[in-house]
Amino acid sequence: MKNISILGSTGSIGTQTLEVVRSNPEAFRVIAISGNSNIDLLQSQIAEFSPKYAAVYDEKKSMELKHRLGNIDTKILCGMDGLIEISTIEEVDILITSVVGNIGLLPTLNAIKAKKTIALANKETLVTAGEIVMKEALDNGVKIIPVDSEHSAIFQCLEGCNIKEVKKLILTASGGPFRGFNKEELIKVKSSEALKHPNWSMGKKITIDSATLMNKGLEVIEAKWLFGVMPKEIDVVVHPQSIIHSMVEFIDGSLLAQLGIPDMKLPIQYALTYPKRIESSSGGLDFEKYSKLTFEKPHRESFPCLDLAYEALELGGITPAVLNAANEELVLQFLDNKIGFYDIPNRIEKAMNKFKGIKNPYINDIIEADKITREYINKSF
Ligand code: MG
């Protein structure tokens, strides 16, 4: 039995994590959950899983939840302090960091210091502070197990391998809803079209990131830190069927790939049961249904976010945090139909040019870079 704490239990990965728990009640026990403000869902999760703690980031909403629940055994916490508290509980074995955005950074760092295994589903943690987080994990002997399907695939392919024998990591990308679109077509696309992802059912932010290929760019940055390779050793290939979740090429020219149907519950479950595997409801591949697997190069000119991410990774320092913060704000604006598709990469590039310089940043520099970038994006255009 593993005791788990879920940072962000009301989001897409969080609810799917609870589905995995629901199917395997003998394997996992939910000690803590948290949400941003969706207290209706938190309330029903508390009723079902009886966690010892539930944290609500929004202070007012936490009061409301407390009021609604009355006298129960679940302790209700709030704010960043609450998120940090549920990340460091003594009896917890694994923290699943499934919150969206930079809000996951401090709780994750605190969990590492408390020597919790991290099932990492929060992209921003490694994108913005990869060097600091990985060093902290190494110093504390903490394992970081990726939940994202691409990194989970690479993690699985690398089991028992020597990283020195790896030539390349190859991240697969579905290409998103606008695969094959040219620039003229992309200028006109609306957020409602971007939200129709062909293969994966995900949250809104990541679905827009998939449409711009920024999602793949962020995954390239994460892969560098998770697996300790150089940026030039990470490739991206578009694979529209999303059956091969990623690959590793070795120095002898041999490749290992991990395959499966596009179902996030698989990598979530593997992260929770690692190094073991247990049965799941997913089942294997129906080869008749997926009789054709195809591959193509990403169209870097039409989707400049991918190259911007590589550039941010090369520049290092605070630049990946600037890229990430600018992207988060611009995705919100795009979702509100305030800006067009290409305003996202164009304005990210401007922010990257404006804020650079700090090498080897401390965590406070990263948090500050995040803040000033958001202000710049929201006030300057
Ligand atoms: Mg992914």
Side-chain angles (χ1 to χ4, degrees):
M1 175 81 82
K2 282 186 180 173
N3 286 338
I4 67 173
S5 175
I6 308 172
L7 204 60
S9 63
T10 56
S12 171
I13 297 290
T15 50
Q16 292 182 81
T17 302
L18 287 172
E19 274 183 58
V20 171
V21 173
R22 196 176 285 127
S23 312
N24 300 280
E26 68 301 323
F28 312 111
R29 187 161 151 247
V30 180
I31 301 292
I33 57 177
S34 84
N36 181 38
S37 59
N38 186 351
I39 55 171
D40 291 339
L41 185 52
L42 270 179
Q43 188 174 3
S44 72
Q45 290 176 346
I46 290 167
E48 183 179 355
F49 295 96
S50 311
K52 287 192 176 174
Y53 304 85
V56 191
Y57 186 63
D58 183 314
E59 219 156 300
K60 268 192 194 152
K61 291 280 181 184
S62 90
M63 299 293 281
E64 196 184 327
L65 181 64
K66 239 185 219 174
H67 186 74
R68 272 196 214 174
L69 291 169
N71 212 354
I72 62 159
D73 288 338
T74 302
K75 190 176 170 194
I76 308 296
L77 307 163
C78 76
M80 180 52 78
D81 289 347
L83 299 188
I84 291 174
E85 192 168 338
I86 69 149
S87 306
T88 52
I89 303 162
E90 176 85 42
E91 66 197 290
V92 164
D93 303 304
I94 303 183
L95 173 73
I96 298 118
T97 63
S98 50
V99 282
V100 179
N102 218 16
I103 193 175
L105 183 55
L106 286 178
T108 307
L109 272 173
N110 277 278
I112 292 171
K113 284 180 185 147
K115 304 201 189 308
K116 305 296 172 198
T117 299
I118 308 291
L120 186 82
N122 171 261
K123 288 217 152 82
E124 291 76 8
T125 301
L126 288 186
V127 168
T128 62
E131 193 162 9
I132 296 171
V133 171
M134 292 314 286
K135 187 180 177 303
E136 201 68 56
L138 191 71
D139 290 350
N140 285 285
V142 161
K143 193 102 185 151
I144 296 188
I145 306 167
V147 167
D148 206 351
S149 61
E150 293 80 359
H151 304 106
S152 175
I154 291 170
F155 184 80
Q156 292 180 56
C157 291
L158 286 175
E159 271 295 285
C161 296
N162 183 345
I163 194 76
K164 290 196 179 112
E165 294 169 0
V166 170
K167 188 174 177 193
K168 262 196 281 190
L169 307 180
I170 304 165
L171 294 170
T172 52
S174 70
F178 304 138
R179 183 173 62 88
F181 280 39
N182 62 31
K183 278 190 171 176
E184 288 69 43
E185 293 164 316
L186 284 168
I187 286 171
K188 290 176 253 162
V189 296
K190 293 271 174 300
S191 61
S192 54
E193 302 162 70
L195 287 172
K196 290 176 194 141
H197 195 279
N199 302 337
W200 296 95
S201 144
M202 306 177 288
K204 278 186 184 175
K205 155 75 169 54
I206 185 172
T207 305
I208 301 298
D209 284 346
S210 293
T212 62
L213 288 197
M214 180 56 94
N215 183 50
K216 213 47 53 180
L218 299 177
E219 288 176 359
V220 167
I221 300 176
E222 284 185 280
K224 184 224 146 61
W225 296 117
L226 270 172
F227 305 112
V229 296
M230 301 301 287
K232 64 176 188 319
E233 295 167 332
I234 308 168
D235 258 2
V236 172
V237 63
V238 173
H239 165 49
Q241 297 81 20
S242 298
I243 294 299
I244 295 182
H245 298 314
S246 277
M247 299 174 258
V248 175
E249 184 182 330
F250 293 89
I251 47 175
D252 61 356
S254 183
L255 283 103
L256 290 186
Q258 187 262 339
L259 288 73
I261 55 161
D263 179 356
M264 281 310 295
K265 289 198 288 299
L266 276 177
I268 291 169
Q269 178 171 308
Y270 185 70
L272 295 180
T273 62
Y274 173 84
K276 285 189 186 165
R277 291 182 190 270
I278 61 173
E279 282 188 38
S280 89
S281 56
S282 269
L285 262 189
D286 179 349
F287 286 99
E288 271 173 44
K289 189 174 166 200
Y290 297 102
S291 58
K292 208 186 220 173
L293 301 184
T294 61
F295 306 92
E296 55 197 70
K297 278 191 172 176
H299 288 256
R300 288 169 181 267
E301 264 178 50
S302 303
F303 298 93
C305 284
L306 182 58
D307 279 344
L308 284 173
Y310 271 97
E311 200 184 318
L313 185 54
E314 288 286 356
L315 287 168
I318 58 166
T319 310
V322 171
L323 166 106
N324 175 70
N327 181 58
E328 262 185 50
E329 293 302 315
L330 290 163
V331 166
L332 287 176
Q333 294 182 12
F334 181 70
L335 280 169
D336 284 346
N337 298 313
K338 286 181 184 154
I339 60 169
F341 187 83
Y342 281 112
D343 290 323
I344 299 176
N346 291 343
R347 293 178 189 186
I348 290 172
E349 193 174 9
K350 286 192 176 127
M352 280 167 59
N353 287 331
K354 189 163 176 71
F355 305 112
K356 52 185 171 191
I358 301 176
K359 291 278 163 197
N360 306 314
Y362 290 104
I363 208 77
N364 287 343
D365 300 321
I366 289 166
I367 292 168
E368 180 64 15
D370 180 274
K371 194 174 141 230
I372 56 171
T373 302
R374 287 171 201 271
E375 282 168 10
Y376 168 73
I377 290 293
N378 288 318
K379 285 183 188 156
S380 309
F381 298 98

